[in-house]
Amino acid sequence: MATHGKRYTEQAAKVDETKSYGVVEAFELLIELSKAGFDQTIDLAVNLGVDPRHGEQMVRGTTNLPNGTGKTVKVAVFARGDNAVAAEEAGADTVGAEDLIAKIQEGWRDFDTLVATPDLIPQVAKLGRLLGPKMPNAKSGTVTTKVGEVVTDLKKSRRVGFRVEKAGIVHMPIGKVSFGSVQLIANFRAAINALLKAKPTTAKGRYVKHITISASMGPGINIDALEAAKVVDVTA
């Protein structure tokens, strides 16, 4: 059984586990409780009414958070010619083609995210076993002809990927405590909107079953899922 420190216990005592908080109330409480000595990351956890064991109910995608996540991201790009120039101008940390493929084959891993242009994917595919989930992927938006735009979003930590886990839960970082409630709620809206748009056509019953937000070192705070649906624009 997990044990928690005094700070966590004190914070948890201020959270009503039986209550589903309104969106604004939840974020204001979260910020009030998150007074650690560093700028904690805020995690969004959403329990969806899907069964990921069935491929047609897999929920996966990316979304842009208007205020970013606050994380520093190292981006490497497989590109040539004008696309390579665009990647460099957008702030990519490493840009290359065959040379970058060879570098990774030799063990280099100083990156967080990989982006590739479609023409290089046949060559990049040979890295599949080495990179696993870090492989550039069209569904996550990292295989693209809009290299500059994607790199800009990644470097500003606006672009966030999500994928439902076996238990039907999606986790996403949606910012830092220092953002304040207004910016965090804007990111929250974008994240929930993306999940609603990604709803599989085969999902039956209630889709968004449970929503929780938490700071890195704090307890989870439940958010009223019905109210959360009212603060998003699924047509955006």
Side-chain angles (χ1 to χ4, degrees), residues 49 51 92 112 121 132 169-170 188-189 209-210:
D51 186 350
D112 297 304
I121 282 299
I169 299 173
V170 171
F188 171 83
R189 291 179 61 177
K209 298 171 69 175
H210 192 76

Side-chain angles (χ1 to χ4, degrees), residues 106-123:
E106 292 167 1
W108 181 79
R109 297 291 187 276
D110 191 19
F111 59 84
D112 297 304
T113 303
L114 288 169
V115 176
T117 53
D119 59 300
L120 283 173
I121 282 299
Q123 292 169 268

Side-chain angles (χ1 to χ4, degrees), residues 47-48 50-53 58 163-170:
N47 190 344
L48 299 175
V50 298
D51 186 350
R53 292 175 299 177
M58 173 57 65
R163 181 182 177 123
V164 67
E165 300 170 357
K166 290 182 179 179
I169 299 173
V170 171

Side-chain angles (χ1 to χ4, degrees), residues 12 52 111 131 200 204 215 235:
F111 59 84
L131 296 176
K204 304 298 181 184
T235 64

Side-chain angles (χ1 to χ4, degrees), residues 69-75 93 112 154-157 176:
T69 63
K71 179 184 177 182
T72 300
V73 179
K74 288 186 177 181
V75 181
D93 298 274
D112 297 304
L154 288 169
K155 290 300 294 181
K156 291 183 177 180
S157 299
K176 298 281 189 177

